[in-house]
Amino acid sequence: MKVCVIGTGYVGLVTGTCLSYLGHEVTCVDNNPAKVEKLRSGESPIYEPGLSELLVHCQKRCTAPLEGALSFTMDLPPAVQAADVIFIAVGTPPQPTGEPDLQYVEAVARSIGSALDNSKPRVIVNKSTVPIGSGNWVEMLVRDGIEALQPAGHRGTGSLEVEAMPRFMVASNPEFLREGSAIGDTLYPDRIVVGSQDPEAYSILRQLYAPILEQTFQAPKVAPRPEGFGAVPLVTTDLQSAEMIKYAANAFLATKISFANEIANLCEKVGADVVEVARGIGLDARIGQRFLNAGAGWGGSCFGKDVSALVSIAREYGYEPQMLKATVTVNQQQRQRIVQKLQDQLKIIKGKTIGLLGLAFKPNTDDLRDAPALDIAQTLIKMGARVKAFDPIAMEHCQAQHPDLDLHYAVDAMDLAWGCDAVVVVTEWEEFRTLELAQLKAVMRTPILVDARNVFNPAAARREGFSYVGV
């Protein structure tokens, strides 16, 4: 099938590349010339394991713009006109009120409408995370774009001939990608959700996703198929329910993490071990073991934004969602609890040197959006500490995105630890788990280790002479 993906951010680029790998002709559209040029040269603007390799593999099949397996352009109209399926995958960043900023979705929807012709029916898919009811809104905006091309005297009169009206259907197809494992999440998902009011839209999207639903494709080397993985469920529903599924899923996962942190805080009071508690309750099939890791809390572009958006939606309808508000509150407090653990150990923060192991909000990504490390660093700097940082991937992004943050960047973990009064593990990168603690201790001023991700064995760390504090 011919696919147009508008927006080459995290979701758009991964979606477009994976659909191309499955054999579809994909054109990705973006209005950033530098990004488009970078992508045309086979270079991914984001760090995601395996994405660059898959990008190059798909582009090698290209013969010309708009005719290859995967191409990139700034020219939206021909990409829309060629497509059977058009994905809207632009950003919906949060506003101060918690509501998502929909200006980019609006602009794209109008542009799609003005570019459509009546050569064939098309499905316009909301891939961006949007508020409930946005499917109907996008349909209205696309029609506005179509009508804008009519002569001035005919606009809004409904006079466009039926046979000349471009035929399109709107669907919601939320993404459930985890940064660091996005290719695997796309090719081997728990489910694919499609919401629409039109049975034909279900049929077209079922055809689009058939290789994934039936698992008939050859697994790429960068993302092997999990052992025993079989057919993928397709959830077909109405637009509003599909939009709510996305928000509800992220809100529940965020709540699960905040719950684990609440239990961890109680464990510290009574002398229990939250790692053992999480393992014990996670073996209950009704609860499950995933997303029960206590630590510095969640970050990234989805959980905070989506929970806040859901709170905002609830308030529009006069409902105050107490549990969702508590989920956000607990998460913010957890970051300050890490600072409190440092205070308990050091007593005085002012004038001390503190090293942060990890900047990205999670391992295997360079994403710094709502990263706990940034909040912790800002708090410590305000308290008068000298803050050093090391991250295997995210430091260059941090320097570019936060030039005013007074961080001292280290070249590796040992350089970070040199002269530190305390080291804090903020991101659970795999390479941190294998650090030689004796070597780390040897270069520190005082051997204080605050393990905000429970990466190390407490007994082993204490045997090496550390004052160890976990969560």
Side-chain angles (χ1 to χ4, degrees):
M1 300 178 74
K2 295 182 185 296
V3 179
C4 171
V5 179
I6 304 174
T8 59
Y10 197 89
V11 172
L13 184 56
V14 172
T15 299
T17 304
C18 288
L19 287 174
S20 168
Y21 178 80
L22 295 174
H24 300 297
E25 275 189 34
V26 180
T27 302
C28 295
V29 182
D30 202 286
N31 62 2
N32 183 327
K35 183 187 280 190
V36 169
E37 194 57 41
K38 194 172 189 179
L39 287 164
R40 283 175 173 168
S41 68
E43 188 178 352
S44 171
I46 58 173
Y47 177 80
E48 173 64 31
L51 182 58
S52 292
E53 295 91 326
L54 205 61
L55 188 67
V56 170
H57 170 81
C58 293
Q59 283 181 298
K60 282 180 179 177
R61 301 199 301 248
C62 288
T63 56
L66 301 179
E67 295 177 6
L70 180 62
S71 57
F72 299 92
T73 183
M74 293 180 63
D75 195 1
L76 183 143
V80 164
Q81 289 159 11
D84 302 300
V85 180
I86 303 158
F87 284 96
I88 299 176
V90 294
T92 55
Q95 300 183 87
T97 59
E99 298 171 286
D101 184 349
L102 299 177
Q103 63 173 310
Y104 307 112
V105 174
E106 179 176 359
V108 166
R110 292 185 189 277
S111 297
I112 291 171
S114 63
L116 285 178
D117 58 30
N118 62 352
S119 61
K120 58 182 172 180
R122 298 172 179 86
V123 181
I124 299 170
V125 182
N126 261 337
K127 199 72 172 173
S128 302
T129 302
V130 289
I132 320 304
S134 292
N136 299 326
W137 179 65
V138 164
E139 182 177 351
M140 178 191 74
L141 294 171
V142 173
R143 293 194 183 280
D144 286 349
I146 294 170
E147 291 186 359
L149 298 178
Q150 295 182 68
H154 295 276
R155 291 176 192 169
T157 65
S159 62
L160 193 63
E161 295 293 335
V162 173
E163 59 268 21
M165 171 69 82
R167 194 155 75 83
F168 70 92
M169 299 145 275
V170 173
S172 173
N173 174 219
E175 53 82 18
F176 302 99
L177 307 184
R178 296 168 298 167
E179 295 186 35
S181 57
I183 294 173
D185 289 344
T186 301
L187 299 176
Y188 318 112
D190 297 320
R191 75 293 198 197
I192 291 175
V193 176
V194 173
S196 184
Q197 320 292 30
D198 196 315
E200 190 176 355
Y202 298 138
S203 177
I204 291 172
L205 291 177
R206 183 181 282 108
Q207 180 186 345
L208 179 80
Y209 284 121
I212 293 176
L213 295 171
E214 299 160 12
Q215 288 295 299
T216 54
F217 63 93
Q218 182 177 347
K221 291 180 181 178
V222 297
R225 183 177 282 106
E227 188 175 348
F229 190 84
V232 174
L234 176 65
V235 179
T236 55
T237 183
D238 57 84
L239 280 168
Q240 295 93 321
S241 296
E243 292 162 348
M244 180 60 88
I245 286 168
K246 168 63 177 178
Y247 276 121
N250 276 355
F252 184 80
L253 295 174
T255 301
K256 201 172 179 184
I257 296 169
S258 287
F259 175 82
N261 281 325
E262 283 273 74
I263 295 299
N265 297 337
L266 186 56
C267 283
E268 291 178 3
K269 300 291 185 184
V270 303
D273 182 343
V274 74
V275 176
E276 295 300 315
V277 172
R279 186 166 68 91
I281 67 173
L283 289 170
D284 187 325
R286 298 168 300 174
I287 297 172
Q289 297 185 60
R290 297 167 70 184
F291 289 85
L292 281 178
N293 295 328
W298 41 262
S301 63
C302 291
F303 285 178
K305 176 171 73 76
D306 290 355
V307 175
S308 296
L310 202 49
V311 170
S312 177
I313 291 165
R315 286 173 173 166
E316 278 185 35
Y317 290 86
Y319 180 74
E320 203 63 28
Q322 303 296 340
M323 186 180 294
L324 296 180
K325 291 194 299 181
T327 292
V328 176
T329 301
V330 168
N331 193 61
Q332 287 302 121
Q333 290 176 343
Q334 199 66 15
R335 303 174 186 200
Q336 296 309 308
R337 286 187 64 83
I338 303 304
V339 176
Q340 182 64 55
K341 290 174 186 292
L342 279 168
Q343 282 183 303
D344 292 343
Q345 294 295 311
L346 292 168
K347 308 306 178 187
I348 303 296
I349 297 291
K350 191 182 294 292
K352 299 296 174 69
T353 299
I354 298 167
L356 303 183
L357 277 172
L359 288 168
F361 85 92
K362 63 180 286 189
N364 295 322
T365 182
D366 55 4
D367 198 339
L368 295 159
R369 287 175 288 184
D370 196 25
L374 298 182
D375 279 354
I376 293 169
Q378 288 166 350
T379 301
L380 293 173
I381 290 167
K382 285 180 183 177
M383 295 172 74
R386 180 175 185 260
V387 180
K388 300 172 70 177
F390 171 70
D391 188 287
I393 295 294
M395 289 200 296
E396 186 177 339
H397 273 205
C398 193
Q399 288 171 299
Q401 295 172 19
H402 302 277
D404 298 329
L405 187 60
D406 188 20
L407 283 176
H408 300 262
Y409 294 94
V411 297
D412 56 28
M414 293 303 294
D415 182 39
L416 174 98
W418 184 271
C420 276
D421 296 287
V423 165
V424 185
V425 182
V426 194
T427 311
E428 61 274 35
W429 284 95
E430 192 61 35
E431 66 184 72
F432 293 166
R433 298 179 188 275
T434 57
L435 287 173
E436 290 291 338
L437 291 179
Q439 295 177 15
L440 214 63
K441 174 178 175 286
V443 298
M444 293 177 65
R445 184 178 291 120
T446 53
I448 295 172
L449 179 59
V450 176
D451 189 355
R453 296 296 183 185
N454 292 339
V455 164
F456 296 109
N457 180 289
R462 291 178 181 125
R463 279 197 300 271
E464 295 294 346
F466 275 100
S467 294
Y468 174 90
V469 181
V471 177

